[in-house]
């Protein structure tokens, strides 16, 4: 049985007090609680402060291009569906440059866990506003205050047919770890958005701010994550941010639908792969 420290490769180089420490801790706790095998786990990260997780969390890792976590993670899962594939993005990585991939991975229900660390800012590039930044926020790229209405990842995921939609807070590590454990057990695409302060570039959405504005869905005994309309209503409430498992349903994962086709004959003529022609094309790139 592994313990939390077995997943600790090295100390991360984040700013002191960054919410990413809480995210890292939650990942280690959840991995230890489930005794995850690092050799059967792949963490795919994008470009951003969150991307440093590959350096410090023990598992196979792929630190890819900005915004391209989900195509890589999908490719890994389809090639080796037995692996636990965890994608990690920032709010810029996921909802700005990576937004198209996000919607399609959600609707396809690819069997991966997707952790979006939402600090409502571009951290690595020194504090430009992001798609989740609040209207009016003053930053180096919005000196007169942002004029854009922010988007909400869980709301987008629900509209796109998401099957596991959760939100945690890096200031509540035990709760975030619990969400990660549930996500690992889910069959299909599991989104966890982790609200996470960037203490260096976002002086508005601090630990105190999040604590004041979030509430735990688990505290509400009348809330059931299977009720889509109720999930939608909670996500629409702009005064309070729900934390917890927001919505879950069962649908077949993409890989279970796609992979059996590999062994089937192709029904219509002309749709098969012309291998000699393909090899000729590939030869040009060698
Ligand atoms: C194609 C491309 N466009 C832009 C960049 C510059 N860039 C690097 S990280 C980043 C945003 C980082 O913000 P986020 O994804 O929210 O991650 P954080 O640093 O906050 O964890 C940008 C715009 C890049 N590396 N590649
Ligand atoms: S810049 Fe912000 S997100 Fe990046 S390590 Fe520092 S506090 Fe964390």
């Amino acid at each position: 049985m592994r313990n939390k420290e077995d997943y600790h490769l090295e100390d991360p180089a984040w700013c002191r007090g960054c919410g990413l420490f809480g995210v890292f801790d939650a990942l280690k706790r959840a991995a230890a609680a489930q005794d995850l095998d690092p050799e059967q786990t792949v963490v795919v990260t994008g470009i951003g402060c969150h991307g440093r997780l590959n350096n410090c969390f023990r598992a196979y890792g792929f630190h890819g291009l900005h915004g391209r976590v989900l195509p890589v993670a999908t490719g890994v899962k389809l090639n080796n569906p037995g692996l636990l594939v965890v994608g990690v993005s920032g709010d810029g990585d996921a909802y700005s440059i990576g937004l198209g991939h996000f919607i399609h991975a959600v609707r396809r229900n690819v069997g991966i866990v997707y952790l979006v660390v939402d600090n409502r800012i571009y951290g690595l590039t020194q504090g430009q506003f992001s798609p989740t930044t609040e209207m009016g926020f003053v930053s180096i790229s919005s000196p007169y205050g942002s004029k854009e209405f922010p988007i909400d990842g869980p709301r987008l995921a629900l509209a796109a047919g998401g099957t596991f939609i959760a939100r945690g807070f890096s200031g509540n590590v035990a709760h975030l770890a619990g969400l990660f454990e549930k996500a690992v057990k889910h069959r299909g695409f599991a989104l966890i958005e982790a609200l996470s302060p960037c203490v260096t570039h976002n002086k508005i959405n601090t630990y105190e701010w999040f604590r004041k504005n979030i509430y735990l869905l688990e505290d509400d005994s009348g809330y059931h994550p299977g009720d889509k309309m109720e999930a939608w209503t909670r996500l629409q409430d702009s005064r309070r941010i729900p934390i917890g498992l927001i919505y879950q349903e069962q649908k077949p994962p993409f890989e279970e639908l796609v992979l059996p086709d590999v062994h089937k004959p192709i029904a219509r003529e002309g749709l098969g792969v012309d291998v000699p022609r393909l090899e000729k094309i590939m030869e040009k790139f060698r």
Side-chain angles (χ1 to χ4, degrees):
M1 189 80 183
R2 297 171 188 86
N3 67 47
K4 204 178 106 178
E5 291 319 304
D6 290 326
Y7 298 91
H8 189 105
L9 269 184
E10 63 175 45
D11 291 342
W14 296 308
C15 309
R16 186 192 290 261
C18 175
L20 278 157
F21 285 101
V23 173
F24 179 37
D25 207 23
L27 274 180
K28 289 189 292 184
R29 272 200 205 195
Q34 292 183 302
D35 197 26
L36 293 184
D37 182 353
E39 295 193 1
Q40 294 299 315
T41 306
V42 182
V43 178
V44 182
T45 61
I47 305 295
C49 295
H50 61 274
R52 296 193 187 126
L53 265 175
N54 281 132
N55 301 352
C56 44
F57 184 75
R58 187 182 300 282
Y60 281 106
F62 189 107
H63 186 38
L65 294 175
H66 186 43
R68 305 293 178 242
V69 166
L70 290 174
V72 173
T74 302
V76 174
K77 189 69 186 177
L78 289 181
N79 272 284
N80 196 342
L83 295 175
L84 168 64
V85 183
V86 181
V88 185
S89 284
D91 39 301
D93 202 66
Y95 304 144
S96 192
I97 190 169
L99 185 64
H101 299 303
F102 175 65
I103 298 293
H104 292 298
V106 169
R107 79 178 173 86
R108 286 179 187 135
N109 201 30
V110 188
I112 57 188
V113 177
Y114 191 38
L115 183 60
V116 179
V117 183
D118 181 12
N119 52 24
R120 302 186 167 195
I121 201 90
Y122 288 179
L124 187 74
T125 45
Q126 308 291 294
Q128 296 84 359
F129 74 102
S130 88
T132 56
T133 303
E134 270 179 44
M135 173 77 99
F137 186 96
V138 174
S139 73
I140 54 169
S141 59
S142 55
Y144 300 106
S146 163
K147 303 289 188 281
E148 298 183 13
F149 299 100
I151 60 174
D152 182 287
R155 221 185 288 166
L156 287 176
L158 192 65
T163 59
F164 183 105
I165 300 166
R167 200 189 253 135
F169 171 44
S170 61
N172 189 342
V173 172
H175 180 254
L176 186 57
L179 291 177
F180 189 75
E181 282 183 51
K182 285 195 179 102
V184 167
K185 289 180 191 139
H186 180 71
R187 283 177 64 242
F189 189 89
L191 169 70
I192 307 174
E193 188 179 87
L195 301 173
S196 179
C198 168
V199 295
T200 302
H201 298 298
N202 187 337
K203 305 290 184 191
I204 303 290
N205 305 116
T206 59
Y207 287 96
E208 294 68 35
W209 187 93
F210 281 120
R211 282 203 182 95
K212 242 187 257 163
N213 286 280
I214 59 177
Y215 71 99
L216 275 171
L217 284 170
E218 288 90 325
D219 286 349
D220 183 345
S221 60
Y223 189 79
H224 300 292
D227 184 340
K228 201 169 203 168
M229 287 313 290
E230 185 57 20
W232 186 252
T233 304
R234 299 292 178 120
L235 289 171
Q236 288 294 337
D237 183 354
S238 54
R239 293 159 306 166
R240 296 188 319 145
I241 306 169
I243 295 294
L245 178 56
I246 299 165
Y247 184 68
Q248 186 171 23
E249 69 168 289
Q250 299 302 327
K251 279 186 198 167
F254 187 59
E255 60 277 12
E256 288 182 18
L257 297 173
V258 162
L259 292 177
D261 286 355
V262 171
H263 306 291
K264 288 185 196 157
I266 292 170
R268 237 179 66 199
E269 227 176 277
L271 291 180
V273 179
D274 182 344
V275 177
R277 185 163 168 261
L278 189 69
E279 272 173 1
K280 229 166 136 187
I281 295 169
M282 291 302 289
E283 207 43 55
K284 288 189 190 153
F285 295 97
R286 290 212 169 96

